[in-house]
Amino acid sequence: MDHNLTLLRLSSALAAHAASRQTVVTENIAHADTPGYKARDLPGFAETLAAGPGFAARATRPGHLEFGAPAHGAEPVETAAFGAESPNGNSVSLEDQMVRSAEIRQSHDLALGVYRKTMDILRTSIGKAR
Amino acid sequence: MDELTRTMSAAASGMAAQSARLRLSSENIANVDTPGYHRKLVSFEETMRDDSRAVATGPLQLDRTPLDRIHDPNHPLAGVDGYYDGSNVNLMVEIADAREANRSYEANLRMFEQARQMAGSLIDLLRR
């Protein structure tokens, strides 16, 4: 039982990571022609998971300040330029970003697939027909 | 889900910026034969909108390169030497620019579509 819940948590974390990464890639593409913009990306899910939850102070009273990185939180970092930079200092390559978004799509589908399957197993174990 | 909404907002800002650029490019092409017309340009810059790093078009600028001097003594605007000022629009540059804007617009649209599908498959989890 506990094992299954870990799976659920893991797959929803992967889906959240894919969604955050999709935001970063979309921002890159929106800025494909902005002078001086540098392409960014999130670190991979494995690294994010290995780093553990971000350190964030817990606010337990109204007067407490909240600070620190969010729990799912990896900060986007600049990626190495794919090919040559444009003359205006922009390092976004549409091809590279498309490949990244295809990767993101795959990992999001994987996460949702695992989540759905786990739910099916849980349902079966409580004796409900699928 | 919130992330995906931000994604769509960033992609929409990209599409708006690219279509503004495409519009200026069409205006330039339409005015290629207008005497004294200066080519219009716009640059892109970063802004924050709905918590995402959106793109916005900067102020409109005019291309400062000198106008073409065209020799046509029969033209009503021609001076005593038979020359008049044409526009400084280069069709080749405009068409290349329009093509690039089109390509970037499609890339933004692709990202919007993908975010929409990802959100849709999340909601599909609730079914059954």
Side-chain angles (χ1 to χ4, degrees), chain A residues 2-86:
Chain A
D2 189 40
H3 182 66
N4 275 331
L5 292 182
T6 313
L7 262 182
L8 286 182
R9 214 168 39 234
L10 202 61
S11 59
S12 62
L14 178 56
H17 180 260
S20 319
R21 209 174 150 216
Q22 176 71 14
T23 307
V24 177
V25 168
T26 305
E27 283 170 1
N28 288 341
I29 288 184
H31 286 283
D33 299 308
T34 308
Y37 185 86
K38 301 281 179 254
R40 307 177 310 154
D41 198 358
L42 289 179
F45 181 63
E47 290 166 47
T48 315
L49 200 66
F55 169 77
R58 227 173 92 201
T60 51
R61 287 184 199 169
H64 285 173
L65 293 174
E66 284 186 83
F67 62 91
H72 59 88
E75 281 292 303
V77 286
E78 280 181 17
T79 53
F82 182 85
E85 258 184 26
S86 346

Side-chain angles (χ1 to χ4, degrees), chain B residues 3 5-6 10 13 19 24 28 38 40 48 60 67 73 75 90 92 99 101 104 120 127:
Chain B
E3 286 283 341
T5 320
R6 279 174 52 200
S13 79
S19 56
L24 287 182
N28 291 340
H38 284 269
K40 288 180 199 157
M48 291 301 287
L60 190 72
L67 298 172
H75 197 277
N90 182 341
M92 203 75 82
R99 183 63 62 86
S104 306
R127 286 205 184 143

Side-chain angles (χ1 to χ4, degrees), chain A residues 97-117:
Chain A
Q97 300 303 323
M98 284 296 161
V99 171
R100 285 175 199 268
S101 87
E103 271 171 23
I104 292 168
R105 184 64 192 269
Q106 277 174 6
S107 61
H108 192 254
D109 284 353
L110 172 69
L112 294 193
V114 170
Y115 192 92
R116 189 181 296 257
K117 214 63 188 171

